[in-house]
């Protein structure tokens, strides 16, 4: 069994890297947002029940011998920690992360919807304020402090990729690390 979990702040690139790496390695890609949130239009409106998200993720992870899981699952997904062979932590500077998130909000919902006076302005603004708190936030929220505490307790290897690296640089670093520590995936 070969399994990698990629996590970081919202906007750090976990989902993009997960997709690219899964394609390069020929394995399944799963993203925690698909389990945490019920499918809605617009997305990310209603949290899925804890037991339901755990069951759905357990089924999907159990259906694939090799997978990449992107996104944060600290707390609600701790039952999956024994399945991880490698955890990759992504961190990028807050200004760059927030720039990406603003662009993503505009791309996802439309500029007029997320600007002042738009139907999604309040929701988008609340999300961006929440995301901006990552680097300085405490343990009661998705934060660098929470992730650091969670990473320190993991029984598997942890690779930290910090800074403004391209997706290709990150994927190459993971493959190089894999070769250094031994077989995580046979490519």
């Amino acid at each position: 069994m070969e399994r990698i979990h990629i996590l970081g702040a919202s906007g750090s690139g976990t989902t993009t890297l997960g997709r690219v790496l899964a394609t390069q390695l020929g394995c399944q890609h799963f993203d925690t947002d698909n389990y945490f949130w019920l499918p809605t239009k617009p997305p990310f409106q209603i949290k899925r029940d804890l037991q339901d998200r755990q069951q759905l993720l357990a089924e999907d992870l159990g259906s694939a011998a090799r997978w990449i899981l992107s996104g944060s699952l600290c707390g609600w997904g701790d039952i999956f920690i024994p399945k991880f062979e490698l955890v990759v932590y992504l961190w990028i500077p807050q200004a760059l992360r927030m720039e990406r998130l603003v662009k993503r909000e505009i791309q996802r919902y439309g500029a007029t919807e997320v600007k002042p006076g738009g139907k999604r302005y309040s929701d988008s603004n609340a999300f961006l304020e929440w995301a901006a708190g990552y680097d300085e936030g405490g343990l009661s929220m998705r934060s660098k402090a929470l992730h650091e505490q969670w990473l320190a307790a993991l029984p598997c290897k942890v690779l930290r990729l910090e800074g403004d690296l391209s997706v290709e640089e990150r994927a190459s670093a993971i493959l190089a690390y894999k070769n250094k520590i031994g077989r995580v995936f046979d490519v």
Side-chain angles (χ1 to χ4, degrees), residues 102-118:
V102 168
K103 286 179 184 175
R104 187 171 78 186
E105 287 288 287
I106 291 169
Q107 201 172 39
R108 184 174 282 158
Y109 303 111
T112 57
E113 296 295 313
V114 300
K115 301 273 175 158

Side-chain angles (χ1 to χ4, degrees), residues 1 34 47 49 58 91 115 123 138 164 187:
M1 298 284 281
N34 295 328
K47 292 178 187 178
D49 176 72
W91 182 89
K115 301 273 175 158
D123 289 341
D164 185 14
V187 180

Side-chain angles (χ1 to χ4, degrees), residues 145-157:
L146 178 66
H147 281 164
E148 292 291 352
Q149 182 182 62
W150 192 80
L151 290 165
L154 292 175
C156 65
K157 301 228 181 256

